[in-house]
Every structure is written in C-alpha cells, then in structure tokens.
Amino acid sequence: FSKIEEHMLEGFRLGEPSSIHGSLLVIGELLRNSGDFMRSRFEDMCSKVFSFRSHKHRLVQRTAIQLLPQLAHFNAEHFVQHWLDSCMEFLLAVLTSPSSEHHDVALSAVGELALAVGRAIAPHTPEII
C-alpha cells in the first residue's frame, strides 16, 4: 500500500485535474480496501480531500464531495470530532446555492454522512430539512 500511496501523493503534487482526480479515487479505494493502513493517515487524507472540495475543475469537486461520507464511514468518531461541522456547512452551502452544479452529489453525501455518523448529525437536522 505504501507504493500506491507514493503514487497518489505524486498525483496531487502534479496539480493537473486528471492526476488530482485519480489520486482522490485512490483515497477512496484505500479507505475501502486497506484496513488499518489508512488509520495513521486519516487526518492527512481528510485535509487533502477537504482542500479539493472547491477546486476549479468540476470533476475534482464532485469526487471530493463523494469522498466525504467515505471518510466518515472509515473513522466516524474522528470525523465527527474534527470534520463534521465544516463538512456540513460546506454541503449545505452547495445545496442552497442556485448556481451549484453539485446538488445531486451533495444531497447524496448528506444522506450517507447521516448514516455514517448516526446521532451526531442531529444538530444539523434543522438546516438539512
């Protein structure tokens, strides 16, 4: 997994939308398939994904939004403590923005986040509804 991680980080360093998109997809696969390998890297991966949520390239934005619930599923306790509020603020802004092209993926992400974090979503329920 370390070699995969090296290539993923190189993709981010290249800065091209296609390499960033590929690296984000790798994060998703590592979260699903690497077991504890991602535990020690979780905070860094959250920061990385969150940093691309408003990227200028549409596909990078969509992929970052889709990864948010995957991060929450991987380590719900840490995600709730450190990322849930910022994540929900961002997703709700996407949902209420008339110019956003990502209403569908943001709405799906909110639902998946609710499943991942359980009752921790409760403070955000009024804004969601």
Side-chain angles (χ1 to χ4, degrees), residues 86-100 103 106 110:
S86 298
C87 183
M88 287 304 301
E89 182 179 319
F90 168 72
L91 290 173
L92 291 168
V94 170
L95 289 170
T96 58
S97 171
S99 63
S100 175
H103 290 115
V110 169

Side-chain angles (χ1 to χ4, degrees), residues 14-119:
L14 290 174
E16 293 295 321
S18 60
S19 64
I20 294 168
H21 176 248
S23 292
L24 289 171
L25 292 175
V26 169
I27 289 175
E29 290 304 315
L30 287 172
L31 289 170
R32 282 189 294 280
N33 299 306
S34 70
D36 286 337
F37 177 78
M38 292 295 280
R39 288 263 172 229
S40 64
R41 296 155 175 83
F42 184 73
E43 181 63 25
D44 289 338
M45 293 302 110
C46 287
S47 294
K48 191 66 80 177
V49 169
F50 211 68
S51 73
F52 289 109
R53 72 192 186 283
S54 297
H55 190 271
K56 62 185 174 184
H57 195 271
R58 184 173 181 253
L59 187 57
V60 172
Q61 292 172 3
R62 282 185 83 79
T63 306
I65 292 169
Q66 291 169 327
L67 277 173
L68 296 172
Q70 291 180 41
L71 291 164
H73 277 288
F74 185 81
N75 189 342
E77 184 178 331
H78 182 92
F79 192 87
V80 166
Q81 290 176 354
H82 300 279
W83 293 98
L84 181 60
D85 290 339
S86 298
C87 183
M88 287 304 301
E89 182 179 319
F90 168 72
L91 290 173
L92 291 168
V94 170
L95 289 170
T96 58
S97 171
S99 63
S100 175
E101 300 175 347
H102 304 300
H103 290 115
D104 58 335
V105 72
L107 186 59
S108 177
V110 169
E112 291 175 35
L113 275 170
L115 292 172
V117 302
R119 293 178 187 255

